Amino acid sequence: DNLRIEIPQKKDNHKAAELFNTFYFFCTAENRYTPESVIIEWEQPRFSLKDDARIIIDKNGKWLAYVAVLNTESPYTENIIVFRIHPDYLNCGIGSVLTNRAEKKAQENISKAPVQSKVLVRASNFLKMESSSFFLKNLGFSLSRYYFRMIMELPEQQNKITLIPEIRIDTFSNRKNLKEIIECTEDCFLDHWGWWRMPDEELWED
C-alpha cells in the first residue's frame, strides 16, 4: 500500500546512490556509488530518465526500487535491463511490476534496430538472489553466461612485467591512426550473439 511508480529526477541522485549502495552491499558487501557517479550514469549519451527509467517509492518518498532499460549503442539490438531493489522489499512483487514496465520499453525499442536484425533483452542477477533467477527463467530468459568477480591482494612492491619483444603496451594518445583501434574492437565482438557492425560515423562518435 501507498507505493507508487514515478520517473526518477536528477535532483534525487543522493536517494539513488543510497538505494544502489544498499542493494549492492547486500549482494557484494561493497558500496559502488556516489551521488556524482549516479549523475554520470544518467548522463550517458542517448539515455533518458523520462523514457528509460522508473522508480517505486513509498509515501515518504523513499526509493524502494529502480529499473532502467539501456538501449544506447548503435545498432540498438541489445536492451539491458538494470534492476536495483531494496533488500527489505525483495519477494514483494515489486520486481514483477518493474519487469513488466521494462519489457514494454524493450518492445518499443525494437523499431530502432535494423530490419531483420536479432534483438536481445538481457538482465544480470547475483547468485545469492535465487528467487530472482527463477523469476527471470519463468519469464522466458535463458542463462547465457556467468560473470565472476576476483579480489586480488597485491604486495606494495609490484613485480616488473616482462613482455615478449613482439608485444608492447601503448596508449591511444600515441596512436595517430585510431581506425586500427576501432576495427580491432569491432573484430572482438564478431562472434557475439546479435552483433551488428555500427556505421563508421557512429563508431568515431563513440
Side-chain angles (χ1 to χ4, degrees):
D1 294 335
N2 298 317
L3 303 184
R4 61 184 187 272
I5 300 178
E6 290 194 353
I7 298 172
Q9 303 297 322
K10 279 189 178 181
K11 63 180 178 62
D12 291 329
N13 58 320
H14 60 289
K15 293 184 179 180
E18 181 181 359
L19 171 64
F20 296 177
N21 283 329
T22 301
F23 170 72
Y24 279 113
F25 192 85
F26 172 76
C27 295
T28 66
E30 66 175 350
N31 293 323
R32 297 186 182 183
Y33 282 89
T34 64
E36 293 75 22
S37 65
V38 170
I39 291 296
I40 292 174
E41 180 175 304
W42 285 347
E43 289 183 344
Q44 61 182 302
R46 298 179 285 277
F47 177 76
S48 164
L49 283 176
K50 178 182 177 181
D51 297 330
D52 303 325
R54 289 295 183 273
I55 55 174
I56 290 184
I57 63 175
D58 66 11
K59 61 182 180 181
N60 298 315
K62 179 180 179 180
W63 285 34
L64 307 182
Y66 168 93
V67 67
V69 180
L70 307 181
N71 182 253
T72 59
E73 295 186 7
S74 180
Y76 311 110
T77 55
E78 184 175 52
N79 295 272
I80 302 175
I81 302 177
V82 177
F83 293 98
R84 286 144 190 171
I85 301 177
H86 195 288
D88 292 345
Y89 292 86
L90 293 172
N91 303 318
C92 294
I94 289 178
S96 300
V97 173
L98 292 182
T99 300
N100 289 337
R101 156 70 194 178
E103 286 188 313
K104 290 178 181 178
K105 180 59 185 176
Q107 289 174 353
E108 294 173 6
N109 289 337
I110 290 177
S111 61
K112 296 162 58 177
V115 176
Q116 296 185 342
S117 62
K118 296 179 180 179
V119 177
L120 174 69
V121 178
R122 180 158 64 89
S124 299
N125 187 46
F126 292 98
L127 285 177
K128 70 179 299 181
M129 300 179 64
E130 294 184 7
S131 60
S132 297
S133 296
F134 286 123
F135 174 69
L136 291 172
K137 289 178 180 178
N138 288 335
L139 289 176
F141 283 80
S142 57
L143 180 64
S144 61
R145 68 187 68 176
Y146 285 99
Y147 294 95
F148 295 92
R149 296 170 55 81
M150 289 195 310
I151 298 178
M152 301 176 61
E153 294 185 4
L154 299 175
E156 293 184 5
Q157 183 64 39
Q158 302 294 319
N159 295 326
K160 184 177 180 181
I161 299 175
T162 302
L163 300 175
I164 62 176
E166 291 78 12
I167 297 178
R168 64 188 176 90
I169 299 175
D170 205 348
T171 65
F172 288 176
S173 60
N174 293 330
R175 306 288 295 182
K176 294 183 179 180
N177 185 7
L178 293 180
K179 184 176 180 180
E180 294 177 351
I181 297 173
I182 293 173
E183 290 179 346
C184 177
T185 303
E186 284 288 286
D187 289 345
C188 290
F189 289 90
L190 287 175
D191 62 343
H192 278 51
W193 192 96
W195 177 87
W196 191 285
R197 180 176 173 84
M198 293 172 60
D200 288 343
E201 60 272 16
E202 294 190 27
L203 284 170
W204 283 104
E205 178 186 344
D206 290 346

